[in-house]
Amino acid sequence: MKPFEIVEEPIDVKKYMDYVLHPSAGAVTVFTGNVREWTHGVRTLYLSYEAYVPMAEKKMAEIGAEMEEKWPGVRVAIAHRIGELQISDIAVVIAVSSPHRKAAYEANEYAIDRIKEVVPIWKKEIWEDGEEWIGAQKKYPSKGVE
């Protein structure tokens, strides 16, 4: 297992959690991003992710280095899945350990924000009545309320 990787198979969350756990870790946070069925009133059937894998893994490692600098003592593992994902599948896992819980929570939230900003991963949403590549959350149709 690499601590920063793009995978094509279902994500084993425990593997990444075990990677970051060590004797000095007093806290471990694990975030999973899952495929949801409804977004702003639009029903998603499934998602398809693509990535420029070498660059995506490099950028995720850079995010890990940023986190270790901002929150000394954290250990990080990030995996993002590509391919066709069904409702409730895990698209991304971020595992962070730290001596204390506050740093683990903060660092974990930082990671998902940075992934969306700098990692070359693209998502195609397939709905009941169409499909679209989504680059930013702002592009969702404005039908109804989630």
Side-chain angles (χ1 to χ4, degrees):
M1 176 204 124
K2 296 187 290 186
F4 305 99
E5 63 183 348
I6 299 294
V7 298
E8 295 184 28
E9 65 280 351
I11 292 175
D12 176 359
V13 173
K14 187 169 182 339
K15 181 171 73 170
Y16 299 96
M17 186 175 159
D18 288 347
Y19 176 83
V20 300
L21 188 58
H22 60 89
S24 298
V28 175
T29 59
V30 176
F31 169 81
T32 62
N34 300 65
V35 177
R36 68 174 168 253
E37 183 175 16
W38 294 93
T39 303
H40 303 292
V42 177
R43 184 172 183 222
T44 299
L45 300 178
Y46 64 94
L47 300 179
S48 180
Y49 286 94
E50 292 185 7
Y52 176 42
V53 175
M55 182 60 74
E57 290 179 342
K58 179 181 175 191
K59 288 296 187 184
M60 290 192 302
E62 288 175 7
I63 291 168
E66 291 170 10
M67 294 164 68
E68 290 169 7
E69 185 174 322
K70 288 176 78 73
W71 294 278
V74 301
R75 184 180 292 176
V76 183
I78 302 171
H80 202 296
R81 186 174 169 195
I82 59 173
E84 190 173 296
L85 280 68
Q86 303 302 313
I87 304 302
S88 300
D89 282 352
I90 297 172
V92 62
V93 62
I94 302 166
V96 178
S97 68
S98 68
H100 303 284
R101 71 178 178 270
K102 185 175 182 182
Y105 277 119
E106 290 175 352
N108 203 312
E109 183 175 21
Y110 176 85
I112 190 64
D113 291 341
R114 290 292 288 150
I115 289 168
K116 289 178 174 258
E117 288 174 0
V118 301
V119 179
I121 298 171
W122 301 276
K123 176 175 71 175
K124 186 176 188 178
E125 294 214 4
I126 295 83
W127 307 306
E128 289 177 309
D129 61 349
E131 59 187 43
E132 182 176 1
W133 286 99
I134 302 294
Q137 299 300 322
K138 297 174 192 167
K139 290 188 173 183
Y140 285 108
S142 59
K143 295 188 217 174
V145 177
E146 189 176 347

